[in-house]
Amino acid sequence: MAADKKRGAQTARDMVISLAVIVLAAWVIYLFVPHDESKDPVKPVSYRVELASARRAAPYPVAAPQGLPKEWRATSVRYTADGPTGAAWHLGFMTPDNEYAAVEQSDDERPGRFIDEVTQGAEKTGKTQQAGGTEWARYTGSKYDALVAESEDGKSVTVVTGTATFQQLGKLAGSLELKQDKPEAPAKEKAAEKAAE
């Protein structure tokens, strides 16, 4: 009986010593790993290549900002040609005051489904906002607010959404340039077209 108590006390003591060693090791690692508190944790990304590719591939003019101040940092970019919500373009930013804002586009046959997904359930308010010569419908939600505009031909929808204020979302929406680049025809096709003329 005494031997069992002694063994139990040793086991408890060994666990406490092991825990102390682990905590000490973690503290030493923390001290020697450099960390700069003043460094910006946001890792900006370049989106030039993805934008050029999307503008060649998308069935609609793809939106990207022109002349947006450098304090707006791009943080994510992707183009999906055939996702569940159609051909979808995404370009995410951190605003100068570290709020999230994104440009989302799609040719989804049911734009309401796409809007609901990218705004995380925001609902139409019935109000509008002018930005960049376009009238945008305002949406508000518990997580994201949004500005939404359908293309003139009704074949795509552009959503500017995020945690940013409507003023900031309007600034991003107002800076958008919609452009579509048709891929060049191969040389043989060009020659055949010329010969036909």
Side-chain angles (χ1 to χ4, degrees):
M1 203 66 144
D4 286 342
K5 282 186 182 180
K6 188 175 179 185
R7 198 174 315 134
Q10 284 179 336
T11 303
R13 190 191 72 185
D14 290 346
M15 284 190 332
V16 170
I17 290 171
S18 296
L19 182 61
V21 168
I22 290 169
V23 169
L24 181 64
W27 182 74
V28 168
I29 291 169
Y30 176 78
L31 281 178
F32 289 102
V33 172
H35 38 281
D36 186 357
E37 306 290 320
S38 64
K39 191 174 180 184
D40 187 358
V42 176
K43 301 236 184 303
V45 298
S46 172
Y47 58 89
R48 232 173 349 136
V49 172
E50 290 85 351
L51 176 61
S53 296
R55 283 181 167 167
R56 281 192 303 275
Y60 52 81
V62 173
Q66 289 294 314
L68 202 58
K70 66 178 180 176
E71 291 80 20
W72 286 71
R73 296 151 295 164
T75 57
S76 58
V77 59
R78 73 181 162 275
Y79 173 72
T80 307
D82 56 357
T85 56
W89 167 247
H90 161 84
L91 182 56
F93 289 90
M94 288 300 283
T95 68
D97 57 348
N98 292 322
E99 293 294 336
Y100 175 69
V103 178
E104 308 280 1
Q105 283 183 287
S106 173
D107 65 347
D108 193 342
E109 292 176 357
R110 295 184 304 175
R113 173 178 66 171
F114 176 73
I115 294 165
D116 187 61
E117 181 179 306
V118 298
T119 65
Q120 299 197 17
E123 295 184 4
K124 198 171 190 175
T125 64
K127 295 179 181 174
T128 60
Q129 180 173 331
Q130 289 289 326
T134 301
E135 187 171 25
W136 298 77
R138 279 189 173 193
Y139 282 65
T140 60
S142 58
K143 185 160 186 177
Y144 293 157
D145 291 331
L147 297 174
V148 177
E150 285 198 36
S151 63
E152 289 180 13
D153 62 8
K155 293 183 179 178
S156 66
V157 64
T158 303
V159 180
V160 178
T161 187
T163 59
T165 64
F166 276 113
Q167 181 181 1
Q168 291 170 320
L169 295 176
K171 184 172 185 107
L172 179 56
S175 74
L176 294 179
E177 176 186 59
L178 281 83
K179 191 174 173 186
Q180 186 173 25
D181 296 329
K182 294 291 180 192
E184 286 193 29
K188 286 182 183 177
E189 287 180 27
K190 283 184 182 178
E193 286 174 10
K194 243 185 181 173
E197 291 174 358

